[in-house]
Every structure is written in C-alpha cells, then in structure tokens.
Amino acid sequence: MSDKPHQNLAIIGHVDHGKSTLVGRLLFETGSVPEHIIEQYRDEAESKGKSGFEFAYVMDNLAEERERGVTIDIAHQRFDTEKYYFTIVDTPGHRDFVKNMITGASQADHAVLVVAADDGVAPQTREHVFLARTLGIETLIVAVNKMDVVDYSEDAYEEVKEEVRTLLEQVRFGTDDASFIPISAFEGDNVAEKSENTSWFDGPTILESLNGLPEPSPPTDAPLRLPIQDVYTISGIGTVPVGRVETGMLRTGDSVSFQPSDVSGEVKTVEMHHEEVEEAGPGDNVGFNVRGIGKNDIRRGDVAGPAEEPPTVAETFQAQIVVMQHPSVITAGYTPVIHAHTAQVACTFESLDKKLDPKSGEVAEENPDFVKAGDAAVVTLRPQKPLVVEPSSEIAELGSFAIRDMGQTIAAGKVLSVNE
Ligand code: GDP
C-alpha cells in the first residue's frame, strides 16, 4: 500500500482503440505489472533462458486472461506516479464494462478517453463520453492513440482532436477541462516519456498529465453507507455481512440499521484483510459482526447505515436517465431491472416527466409519451420490491444506477429525489 493520495481512474473509449494496450503500457512503465504475470514470466523465461521483461509479454497475458473471461480483479490494476497512487476502476474489455462503469463510476473522478488516430470518434466513444459526463467525471485526458499508424502526422492528430472537441461540446463537457495528448500505447510514445516522433507537440505525457490531476475530493461528512454484497455464517463468530464502505465510518460499538430489511443491532467486530480493526472508512472492504442478527435477517442489496440516520427506502424516486440503447421505445408501465449499488430490483416507469435536450440539458418536452435511444429524460420509477436509493446530490454513491433489460444495459441514471 502507498501513502500517496489515492485516485480512481476510468479508461474509456471505443473497442479496439487501445484501452487495454494503454493499461498494459502504464503498468509496464511504472513497474506495476501484476505479480502473477511476473511470476508466470519468470518461470517461462527460466525455461527458455530469457532475461529482461517484455512489454509484449504483459500484453499477451492480459489479453489471454480477458479471452478466458477471467475477471481480472480490478484492485490488481494499480500504479504510482510521483504524487498519486492510481487504481483503474474497470478492466477494459470486460463484458460488463458499461454496467460497471455506471455502478462504479461514482468512484472515478477522472478518465482517460482513448481515441484511435486512424478511426476517430466512434459509437462507443460517444456512449462513454455521454456516460462520463452524466456520472460526474471531472477531468478527461484525451489520448489520441495509434499515432504510429498515421505516421505521427500532426494533421491527423488535429483532425481527431477537433472531432473529439465537437463531441465534448455537444455533451457540454467543458473542453477546458480536457487535455489532448498524441500517443502510441503500443510503441510507448508520450506515455511515460516524451516522444521525438511528435516533435510538433509540446504538451505533457500521459503520466505527467495524470500526476498533474487535481487532488481527490476530500471525504464528505456523509453518514455511513455500506451496501451488503454477501452474508456469511462463520462458526464462533456468527453472522458476518460483507461489503464496501461507500461513505462514512463503521466503528465497533456503533448501532447500525440494515435497510430495506429493517433490522438493527450493535457492531461487535469489524474485520479487514483478515485482521480485526476498530474502524473502517470509505473504500474499505469489510466483514463485520452485529449482535443479535441472523443470516436470514439481512441480504445482499441491503445497505447498512447509522441507526439514527438509516438509509432511505424509496416508495418511488425521480431520476435523470440517459437511454443508451433500446430496440423500440420506453413508455410508462415498462418494468426493467435496476442495478443500484449491490441491489437488483425490478422497477416500473410510473411516469415520464420531462424529455431533455441532450445537448443543452434544457427541458425539450413536458410529459412525453415515450423516450428512445439517445434521449435524456426525467422519469419517476416505482421499485417492485423495497429498494434503498438516495439522491446523488446527497450521497453520490447511492444515487447512480444502471437500467438493464434483455441482458443489456439500456440506460444509466442518477437519482434526483426520493419519495419515502
Ligand atoms: P481495446 O479494445 O480498446 O482495449 O483495444 P486493445 O488495447 O485491445 O487494442 C486493439 C488492437 O490495437 C490490438 O491489436 C493492439 O495491439 C492495437 N493497438 C493498440 N494501441 C496501438 C498503438 O498505439 N499502435 C498500434 N499500431 N496498434 C495499437
């Protein structure tokens, strides 16, 4: 672990534009290649009498793991710059990339948008930028990748830069908050070291730019919110719910309430990385034991909070959504599944309240009859089973969600207000 300030970083962009290659390059250049890959390499290198460590090897192995469908533990994708300690919040190429981006995006304040110089803005470039903006990504570093493929041409770079600028303006991402860097993730140009191939470029490298990001937002004074991932029974201890602290502190002796299950009790022990601790804070994965609570009293999808300020169970809630894909149109009565924190609950579109202009965010139509792919809207949703959600303005971590249907993410949203 590092004592530098921690930053969560999302790597976004169209398929094949070079996200994984950039991640591999960043891990390689910062000496942070996952341990198991190094070990595997050492074994193979020994048998073949090779020395040194090869970038190609890292890439092959990351690619192989992806093909095998192995969910690379995102926590393993870490690297340091001089000032910060970075965790990549999602693995590019992951099947649930978009969904994870939505449910996990509240954790990322910054993103690197990868756009291939030989392809320019493509459908997922738009989709990801749209999501990033909806979900509150603050800073965007635009990596114009595969510069080697376009012979490091300044014109090609400027052309793609202009396309991306137009896109950012369309979704009202302040272009002042974005920086542009011509790179080759594959060859290493302008990732860790300034490239002589782009002598016309006088800006920073990717690593310099990451190092220059604003400090992470200070922890809020939001109350404890701990979505439950699993509930175990451990002999000698009892019922142990596990999950990640999103906001606030969990301390032994505190009285916590689980919602929507509506049970509460006193925290006896808190465990982190197999060690007992007195308290845990935002980002900590914990298991804890609560006096008098049985395995069947609580479940995945519950959220733990202070007994005096329990998580809010929504009767209905109003949300702003962006429809990414839907084969037909969404009308009132439609009931897809909402994925919010660790919960998955069917929710009915009770009313379509407003259609928004996706460019300006202004109201384009009151009470529209339907919304379709590409639309932004304000809607009222009614969970079919009790669900904890909270306005994203109050507790961002409990205010963003994905709407899934037919095995696809059809929309992303954030909670505006909750009717208890
Ligand atoms: P992802 O789908 O966005 O993660 O893209 P990948 O990282 O898997 O890259 C897609 C393909 O483009 C792979 O064959 C890479 O080797 C190649 N690629 C990625 N970056 C570069 C680059 O900077 N230059 C060249 N020539 N190829 C690249």
Side-chain angles (χ1 to χ4, degrees):
M1 291 297 278
S2 165
D3 49 16
K4 295 172 186 173
H6 186 198
Q7 297 269 24
N8 286 319
L9 186 69
I11 311 277
I12 61 178
H14 193 71
V15 63
D16 278 347
H17 279 201
K19 298 179 298 292
S20 316
T21 309
L22 179 59
V23 171
R25 175 59 73 178
L26 286 167
L27 297 177
F28 178 68
E29 298 283 1
T30 54
S32 338
V33 173
E35 194 62 37
H36 67 279
I37 292 184
I38 294 179
E39 270 166 27
Q40 206 172 314
Y41 180 76
R42 219 177 270 137
D43 293 347
E44 284 179 32
E46 248 168 46
S47 68
K48 291 181 189 146
K50 281 199 271 185
S51 65
F53 195 80
E54 286 166 28
F55 176 66
Y57 187 85
V58 179
M59 290 323 303
D60 286 353
N61 278 276
L62 289 176
E64 212 175 273
E65 289 194 358
R66 280 210 311 282
E67 268 156 33
R68 288 205 317 269
V70 176
T71 313
I72 303 170
D73 184 352
I74 52 168
H76 285 147
Q77 311 255 12
R78 299 172 163 169
F79 62 91
D80 280 75
T81 62
E82 208 178 308
K83 192 165 160 199
Y84 297 122
Y85 166 67
F86 283 91
T87 303
I88 294 174
V89 298
D90 208 328
T91 309
H94 193 279
R95 264 179 312 223
D96 278 335
F97 184 48
V98 170
K99 181 193 136 197
N100 289 350
M101 192 176 146
I102 293 159
T103 49
S106 54
Q107 304 163 42
D109 297 321
H110 315 290
V112 176
L113 171 67
V114 180
V115 189
D118 60 343
D119 197 17
V121 169
Q124 285 161 320
T125 319
R126 288 181 188 284
E127 183 180 318
H128 290 181
V129 165
F130 212 33
L131 278 172
R133 138 89 211 275
T134 311
L135 299 167
I137 295 275
E138 283 171 26
T139 340
L140 206 57
I141 296 171
V142 184
V144 178
N145 188 34
K146 305 198 187 184
M147 285 304 297
D148 56 307
V149 176
V150 296
D151 295 327
Y152 301 98
S153 148
E154 183 175 6
D155 288 347
Y157 168 70
E158 287 298 336
E159 204 177 299
V160 172
K161 186 172 160 180
E162 214 30 62
E163 262 185 56
V164 176
R165 268 185 180 283
T166 307
L167 171 63
L168 296 185
E169 270 156 25
Q170 277 170 2
V171 306
R172 296 185 120 208
F173 223 125
T175 36
D176 293 348
D177 296 334
S179 52
F180 291 80
I181 308 177
I183 70 163
S184 166
F186 196 80
E187 301 291 343
D189 301 281
N190 296 329
V191 177
E193 269 170 53
K194 223 172 143 42
S195 169
E196 290 179 359
N197 294 320
T198 54
S199 48
W200 41 265
F201 177 71
D202 59 6
T205 62
I206 296 283
L207 280 178
E208 280 167 355
S209 185
L210 289 172
N211 198 47
L213 286 171
E215 295 264 350
S217 17
T220 60
D221 50 10
L224 171 72
R225 292 297 185 256
L226 198 178
I228 303 306
Q229 269 151 16
D230 275 302
V231 182
Y232 297 106
T233 306
I234 296 178
S235 63
I237 298 182
T239 304
V240 177
V242 304
R244 202 176 86 122
V245 178
E246 294 292 352
T247 58
M249 300 297 293
L250 177 73
R251 296 188 181 90
T252 54
D254 283 356
S255 182
V256 294
S257 157
F258 294 83
Q259 297 297 341
S261 285
D262 200 23
V263 291
S264 55
E266 186 194 321
V267 178
K268 282 200 295 191
T269 53
V270 179
E271 208 176 90
M272 215 162 89
H273 303 299
H274 307 290
E275 273 177 39
E276 246 187 76
V277 292
E278 281 299 307
E279 56 173 39
D284 291 340
N285 285 296
V286 295
F288 59 110
N289 175 240
V290 180
R291 205 178 294 277
I293 286 187
K295 187 175 192 321
N296 298 321
D297 295 339
I298 53 176
R299 58 196 51 81
R300 179 184 166 92
D302 275 348
V303 180
E308 65 279 11
E309 211 174 338
T312 313
V313 180
E315 181 81 22
T316 61
F317 60 97
Q318 198 177 45
Q320 182 171 334
I321 64 164
V322 176
V323 184
M324 293 179 310
Q325 50 184 347
H326 193 277
S328 54
V329 296
I330 294 175
T331 54
Y334 178 49
T335 307
V337 175
I338 300 263
H339 291 235
H341 53 89
T342 56
Q344 296 183 12
V345 172
C347 293
T348 301
F349 278 72
E350 183 140 288
S351 58
L352 307 179
D353 306 329
K354 291 171 188 150
K355 195 161 122 180
L356 306 175
D357 181 329
K359 288 180 190 166
S360 67
E362 276 153 30
V363 178
E365 190 183 341
E366 296 282 352
N367 307 310
D369 290 333
F370 64 88
V371 290
K372 58 181 191 330
D375 287 345
V378 174
V379 301
T380 300
L381 293 160
R382 179 179 291 275
Q384 295 301 307
K385 279 194 206 156
L387 170 69
V388 166
V389 282
E390 293 183 295
S392 62
S393 58
E394 285 166 30
I395 303 186
E397 290 78 0
L398 292 191
S400 56
F401 59 90
I403 302 178
R404 306 261 297 169
D405 194 11
M406 301 165 286
Q408 287 182 322
T409 300
I410 60 160
K414 61 180 178 188
V415 178
L416 301 174
S417 61
V418 174
N419 196 349
E420 286 175 55

